[in-house]
Every structure is written in structure tokens, then in C-alpha cells.
């Protein structure tokens, strides 16, 4: 399985950011991992529709780009945990804003939201609490 390599040059930082976290799954994986350490099976359950192969590929790319850490525990069967790195945690504020924007957009366009993975954080006075 080939890990996506980054270019040596980009037109702008948004293009680079999209190369690092773009796609259907990476942002959702990061969102889930910002809640805390998770095992592969926990991530798989929290992302309906993702295949095992795709989750593995996306996790490898996020690890390669320094946004998550993978810890393998030498036991039988092997235990593997994933967590967000300090670099990955710097994206949390951006992800929260994306979530808020999506909620506002959905409300304005009468789009029903089935679920979300977490709350926006400790300041949840707006009533936007989401199911975990």
C-alpha cells in the first residue's frame, strides 16, 4: 500500500493542507482521535462506510505526515493504538470551526444531520452538543 507523498512545492498553503488532510476520511479520523487514544477497531466502528483497507491507508498517511502516532504493544494478539500528535492537535480548532460551519450551513439549507462524533468543547452553551 503506497503512502501519498507530498510535493516539494505548492502554490499556496491551502493546497498543502488539503494534500495532508484532504479526502473523505482523514478529517473524520483526526476528529475522532482528538477525543483520545483509540484502537483500530474503535476507529472502524466510529466511521461507518470506511473499509479496513482505506482506514489502514489513511492512518498510514496521517502517521507519515506526523499528525498521528501509532503505538504497537508486544502482546498476543498485538494491540495497536492511535493518538493525535502535538502537530495534529493544532488542527483541532480548525476542525471545530468546520463542524460549526457545517451545522450552520445545514440549518440554513434544511439539511438533517444524523450524528456527530463529539461536542465542540467545554463551551457548549449554544446547545450544539453532539452524540458521541
Amino acid at each position: 500500500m503506497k503512502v501519498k507523498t507530498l510535493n516539494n512545492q505548492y502554490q499556496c498553503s491551502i493546497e498543502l493542507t488539503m494534500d495532508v488532510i484532504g479526502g473523505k476520511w482523514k478529517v473524520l479520523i483526526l476528529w475522532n482521535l482528538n477525543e483520545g487514544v483509540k484502537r483500530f477497531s474503535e476507529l472502524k466502528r466510529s466511521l461507518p462506510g470506511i473499509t479496513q483497507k482505506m482506514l489502514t491507508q489513511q492512518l498510514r498517511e496521517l502517521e507519515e505526515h506526523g499528525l498521528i502516532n501509532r503505538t504497537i504493544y508486544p502482546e498476543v494478539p498485538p494491540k495497536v493504538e492511535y493518538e493525535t500528535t502535538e502537530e495534529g492537535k493544532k488542527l483541532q480548532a480548525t476542525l471545530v470551526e468546520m463542524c460549526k460551519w457545517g451545522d450552520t450551513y445545514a440549518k440554513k439549507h434544511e439539511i438533517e444531520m444524523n450524528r456527530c462524533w463529539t461536542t465542540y468543547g467545554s463551551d457548549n452553551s449554544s446547545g450544539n452538543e453532539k452524540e458521541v
Side-chain angles (χ1 to χ4, degrees), residues 20-43:
V20 174
I21 65 167
K24 182 175 180 179
W25 300 109
K26 287 181 184 173
V27 169
L28 298 175
I29 291 167
L30 288 169
W31 184 259
N32 275 275
L33 288 177
N34 276 319
E35 293 179 332
V37 176
K38 296 215 186 311
R39 294 182 66 175
F40 185 91
S41 59
E42 292 176 285
L43 284 169

Side-chain angles (χ1 to χ4, degrees), residues 52-68:
Q52 183 166 331
K53 180 181 176 183
M54 180 57 71
L55 180 55
T56 299
Q57 178 183 341
Q58 299 296 283
L59 288 167
R60 285 184 183 164
E61 288 180 15
L62 289 167
E63 182 181 16
E64 176 75 21
H65 299 309
L67 300 180
I68 66 169

Side-chain angles (χ1 to χ4, degrees), residues 101-117:
W101 183 88
D103 280 346
T104 301
Y105 187 89
K107 192 174 202 174
K108 179 178 178 182
H109 296 277
E110 298 179 1
I111 298 170
E112 185 178 334
M113 303 303 291
N114 291 327
R115 66 174 252 189
C116 198
W117 288 272

